[in-house]
Amino acid sequence: MLLQNLTRNALRHYNVRCNRLNALRHYYVRCNRLYSGGPQLFGQNQVNENKQEVLSQSQEIPRILITGGLGQLGSMLARKLRAKYYPESVILSDIVKPSKEILKSGPYMYADILDFKNLQELIVNQQIDVLIHFSALLSAVGEQNIPLAMRVNIEGLHNVLELAKQYQLKLFVPSTIGAFGPDSPRNPTPDITIQRPRTIYGVSKVHGELMGEYYHYKFGLDFRSLRFPGIISAETEPGGGTTDYAVQIFHDAIQTGQFTCYLRPDSRLPMMYIDDCIDSVIKYLDVPTEKLRLRTYNVNAMSFTPQELIEEVKKICTRFKSYIQCGQSAGNSRLLARNI
């Protein structure tokens, strides 16, 4: 029932937005809450107990910089933070040309995380207090260009850590379920456990978690991280993550009626709707640093398999055709697809 509701909402909102072509909005909305009561942040009680205290305190409005701001999470987080504080207090940054809509919504600046001086100048001139670091190459893309992934995901992180330490910034760097591996325990996976990832993205995120924790204990840096599952949204196109099939399937169902999945049909992966993801970040940033037991927590919502999602889509889109190419990348077109 949960997945059925998710699928119906997904396809309905695709049809409503952008004349049935590329809309995916609120298809997850309340579905996960029917199952799990909404997103669960490990240590959530601690967050809830302290949120009212934080909001009631008199404090200056922070100046916030978001790197990689034109990716899946950045623009939506900026929108909610600007609503919470005010538009000029949140600066989006990236290395690509923004749309007119992004420029009208609030400040946007060019920032290359591999250019230490450029990033330093931005932090100093804009009097940044909080740095939210979203710049990264995701799992599937990273495996296609490992040297670039190491530069962006590791060297870029080092620049951000050093600047956050130098200017005493609060630093949030998202992690991922990809930071775990086949040896990690499941259902539930503890916050502190075995981590042996097998992708450069996962390895770089484990590196980031440990470096952030080191900087916290060595230099007092207010470092924070959440391990996100697959994030489902309508704001951007799929970005090359392993779980992005759960976004691509709805685009393809509406646009072409055909979908090819490169995961095994029984690959059960955790997912989260983007609104819940953004809310978890904002709540986590609100918690006073002295109240945090750890610097990195898991956050979860629900799980399903490609096969389960495909079957639900077929119930609504009767002409929908789907294919599985197990263990292969989208770039390998030599393999025959199996109709499921």
Side-chain angles (χ1 to χ4, degrees):
M1 178 62 70
L2 171 64
L3 193 56
Q4 182 182 51
N5 290 340
L6 183 154
T7 305
R8 290 184 182 278
N9 281 337
L11 294 172
R12 175 169 58 86
H13 285 286
Y14 262 114
N15 283 322
V16 168
R17 187 179 175 192
C18 296
N19 297 322
R20 298 175 176 256
L21 288 180
N22 64 350
L24 171 61
R25 187 168 182 82
H26 301 308
Y27 76 88
Y28 190 67
V29 187
R30 299 296 177 226
C31 293
N32 66 314
R33 292 184 176 86
L34 297 176
Y35 177 74
S36 63
Q40 299 297 313
L41 176 67
F42 285 67
Q44 184 67 58
N45 290 337
Q46 172 182 287
V47 173
N48 292 334
E49 291 171 1
N50 290 287
K51 183 175 182 182
Q52 190 61 42
E53 175 186 345
V54 173
L55 293 177
S56 65
Q57 293 175 349
S58 176
Q59 57 183 358
E60 294 183 3
I61 295 176
R63 298 276 297 170
I64 302 170
L65 174 65
I66 302 176
T67 68
L70 299 188
Q72 186 182 27
L73 302 180
S75 58
M76 188 162 183
L77 177 60
R79 187 183 310 154
K80 292 205 171 186
L81 288 173
R82 285 166 176 166
K84 179 178 180 179
Y85 299 115
Y86 65 93
E88 298 302 315
S89 68
V90 181
I91 300 172
L92 272 179
S93 71
D94 212 311
I95 59 172
V96 298
K97 184 179 179 180
S99 66
K100 292 181 179 179
E101 181 182 359
I102 291 293
L103 291 175
K104 289 179 180 178
S105 65
Y108 175 87
M109 295 188 177
Y110 175 91
D112 182 355
I113 60 166
L114 298 178
D115 187 338
F116 185 91
K117 290 295 183 181
N118 167 241
L119 198 56
Q120 182 180 35
E121 182 178 359
L122 180 55
I123 289 170
V124 171
N125 290 345
Q126 297 299 321
Q127 300 182 9
I128 299 301
D129 304 302
V130 180
L131 180 53
I132 298 173
H133 180 55
F134 283 151
S135 296
L137 291 187
L138 301 184
S139 52
V141 176
E143 291 303 302
Q144 300 300 316
N145 194 336
I146 293 175
L148 180 60
M150 292 178 65
R151 290 196 66 208
V152 173
N153 295 2
I154 297 178
E155 182 182 338
L157 172 73
H158 292 174
N159 288 340
V160 165
L161 284 169
E162 275 299 308
L163 289 168
K165 180 195 75 173
Q166 182 175 345
Y167 296 103
Q168 300 180 343
L169 310 180
K170 179 185 291 186
L171 175 61
F172 177 80
V173 181
S175 189
T176 171
I177 57 171
F180 299 116
D183 299 321
S184 302
R186 303 181 181 183
N187 299 322
T189 302
D191 291 318
I192 301 177
T193 188
I194 298 170
Q195 293 178 262
R196 290 294 183 271
R198 295 185 179 178
T199 66
I200 188 60
Y201 180 61
V203 169
S204 67
K205 286 301 183 180
V206 174
H207 173 79
E209 292 178 18
L210 294 176
M211 287 297 294
E213 185 173 314
Y214 172 77
Y215 268 66
H216 171 71
Y217 290 112
K218 180 71 173 181
F219 305 112
L221 175 64
D222 187 356
F223 172 86
R224 305 174 186 221
S225 184
L226 293 174
R227 297 187 187 108
F228 290 140
I231 306 301
I232 303 172
S233 76
E235 300 300 316
T236 59
E237 294 291 326
T242 302
T243 54
D244 277 354
Y245 84 89
V247 176
Q248 188 67 54
I249 187 173
F250 294 103
H251 285 270
D252 291 351
I254 296 299
Q255 295 181 32
T256 67
Q258 299 186 24
F259 170 70
T260 300
C261 181
Y262 299 96
L263 298 178
R264 288 175 47 185
D266 60 349
S267 299
R268 185 172 299 277
L269 296 171
M271 303 286 179
M272 175 178 283
Y273 181 56
I274 191 169
D275 279 1
D276 296 325
C277 172
I278 297 302
D279 287 345
S280 70
V281 174
I282 294 174
K283 289 178 181 179
Y284 188 34
L285 289 174
D286 279 343
V287 180
T289 187
E290 65 273 11
K291 300 293 186 179
L292 296 175
R293 181 175 58 89
L294 302 173
R295 308 318 297 184
T296 301
Y297 291 91
N298 297 330
V299 60
N300 70 346
M302 65 173 296
S303 299
F304 52 81
T305 69
Q307 184 69 59
E308 290 171 342
L309 183 57
I310 286 168
E311 292 304 320
E312 293 300 330
V313 172
K314 284 183 175 181
K315 291 177 183 178
I316 301 172
C317 299
T318 56
R319 296 183 179 181
F320 178 65
K321 295 182 179 180
S322 55
Y323 304 88
I324 291 288
Q325 292 185 356
C326 296
Q328 303 300 321
S329 67
N332 189 343
S333 60
R334 293 178 295 175
L335 297 178
L336 295 176
R338 178 172 65 88
N339 193 325
I340 62 170

